[in-house]
Short mmCIF file of all heavy atoms in Angstrom, two decimals:
data_model
loop_
_atom_site.label_atom_id
_atom_site.label_comp_id
_atom_site.label_asym_id
_atom_site.label_seq_id
_atom_site.Cartn_x
_atom_site.Cartn_y
_atom_site.Cartn_z
N TRP A 173 110.19 88.89 91.25
CA TRP A 173 109.71 88.65 92.61
C TRP A 173 109.14 87.25 92.73
O TRP A 173 108.67 86.68 91.74
CB TRP A 173 108.58 89.64 92.95
CG TRP A 173 109.02 91.07 93.04
CD1 TRP A 173 109.35 91.90 91.99
CD2 TRP A 173 109.18 91.85 94.23
NE1 TRP A 173 109.71 93.13 92.47
CE2 TRP A 173 109.60 93.14 93.84
CE3 TRP A 173 108.98 91.58 95.59
CZ2 TRP A 173 109.85 94.15 94.77
CZ3 TRP A 173 109.23 92.60 96.51
CH2 TRP A 173 109.66 93.86 96.09
N ALA A 174 109.17 86.71 93.97
CA ALA A 174 108.39 85.51 94.30
C ALA A 174 107.35 85.93 95.34
O ALA A 174 107.61 86.81 96.17
CB ALA A 174 109.29 84.42 94.84
N TRP A 175 106.20 85.28 95.27
CA TRP A 175 105.04 85.71 96.08
C TRP A 175 104.38 84.55 96.82
O TRP A 175 104.35 83.42 96.30
CB TRP A 175 103.96 86.33 95.16
CG TRP A 175 104.43 87.43 94.28
CD1 TRP A 175 104.72 87.34 92.94
CD2 TRP A 175 104.68 88.79 94.65
NE1 TRP A 175 105.12 88.58 92.48
CE2 TRP A 175 105.11 89.48 93.50
CE3 TRP A 175 104.56 89.49 95.86
CZ2 TRP A 175 105.44 90.84 93.51
CZ3 TRP A 175 104.90 90.83 95.88
CH2 TRP A 175 105.32 91.49 94.71
N LEU A 176 103.77 84.89 97.97
CA LEU A 176 102.74 84.06 98.57
C LEU A 176 101.45 84.82 98.33
O LEU A 176 101.33 86.00 98.73
CB LEU A 176 103.00 83.85 100.07
CG LEU A 176 101.90 83.10 100.84
CD1 LEU A 176 101.68 81.69 100.27
CD2 LEU A 176 102.25 83.02 102.33
N VAL A 177 100.51 84.18 97.66
CA VAL A 177 99.32 84.87 97.16
C VAL A 177 98.07 84.26 97.78
O VAL A 177 97.93 83.03 97.85
CB VAL A 177 99.22 84.68 95.62
CG1 VAL A 177 98.06 85.51 95.06
CG2 VAL A 177 100.52 85.04 94.93
N LYS A 178 97.15 85.11 98.20
CA LYS A 178 95.82 84.62 98.57
C LYS A 178 94.93 84.77 97.35
O LYS A 178 94.68 85.88 96.86
CB LYS A 178 95.23 85.41 99.75
CG LYS A 178 93.89 84.82 100.19
CD LYS A 178 93.39 85.42 101.48
CE LYS A 178 92.04 84.81 101.87
NZ LYS A 178 91.50 85.44 103.09
N GLN A 179 94.49 83.63 96.84
CA GLN A 179 93.70 83.62 95.61
C GLN A 179 92.23 83.89 95.91
O GLN A 179 91.79 83.85 97.06
CB GLN A 179 93.88 82.28 94.90
CG GLN A 179 95.33 82.01 94.51
CD GLN A 179 95.50 80.63 93.92
OE1 GLN A 179 95.41 79.62 94.60
NE2 GLN A 179 95.76 80.59 92.61
N ALA A 180 91.46 84.11 94.84
CA ALA A 180 90.04 84.46 94.99
C ALA A 180 89.26 83.37 95.72
O ALA A 180 88.30 83.65 96.44
CB ALA A 180 89.42 84.73 93.63
N ASP A 181 89.67 82.10 95.58
CA ASP A 181 88.96 81.00 96.24
C ASP A 181 89.40 80.82 97.70
O ASP A 181 88.97 79.89 98.38
CB ASP A 181 89.13 79.69 95.46
CG ASP A 181 90.59 79.22 95.39
OD1 ASP A 181 91.46 79.87 96.02
OD2 ASP A 181 90.85 78.21 94.72
N GLY A 182 90.29 81.71 98.16
CA GLY A 182 90.73 81.66 99.56
C GLY A 182 91.99 80.84 99.77
O GLY A 182 92.61 80.90 100.84
N LYS A 183 92.37 80.05 98.76
CA LYS A 183 93.57 79.22 98.90
C LYS A 183 94.84 80.05 98.71
O LYS A 183 94.83 81.07 98.03
CB LYS A 183 93.55 78.09 97.87
CG LYS A 183 92.55 77.00 98.22
CD LYS A 183 92.79 75.76 97.38
CE LYS A 183 91.82 74.66 97.78
NZ LYS A 183 91.38 73.87 96.64
N LEU A 184 95.92 79.56 99.30
CA LEU A 184 97.21 80.22 99.14
C LEU A 184 97.99 79.55 98.01
O LEU A 184 97.86 78.35 97.79
CB LEU A 184 98.00 80.14 100.45
CG LEU A 184 97.34 80.75 101.68
CD1 LEU A 184 98.25 80.60 102.90
CD2 LEU A 184 97.00 82.22 101.46
N ALA A 185 98.79 80.33 97.31
CA ALA A 185 99.61 79.80 96.23
C ALA A 185 100.94 80.54 96.19
O ALA A 185 101.05 81.67 96.70
CB ALA A 185 98.90 79.97 94.88
N VAL A 186 101.94 79.88 95.62
CA VAL A 186 103.24 80.52 95.40
C VAL A 186 103.37 80.83 93.91
O VAL A 186 102.94 80.04 93.07
CB VAL A 186 104.38 79.58 95.87
CG1 VAL A 186 105.71 79.97 95.24
CG2 VAL A 186 104.50 79.60 97.39
N SER A 187 103.91 82.00 93.59
CA SER A 187 104.15 82.31 92.18
C SER A 187 105.39 83.18 92.04
O SER A 187 105.91 83.70 93.04
CB SER A 187 102.95 83.03 91.57
OG SER A 187 102.87 84.36 92.03
N GLY A 188 105.85 83.32 90.82
CA GLY A 188 106.96 84.22 90.51
C GLY A 188 106.54 85.11 89.37
O GLY A 188 105.76 84.70 88.50
#
Side-chain angles (χ1 to χ4, degrees):
W173 293 74
W175 306 102
L176 174 60
V177 186
K178 184 171 179 183
Q179 299 175 290
D181 63 4
K183 286 194 177 143
L184 301 180
V186 160
S187 73

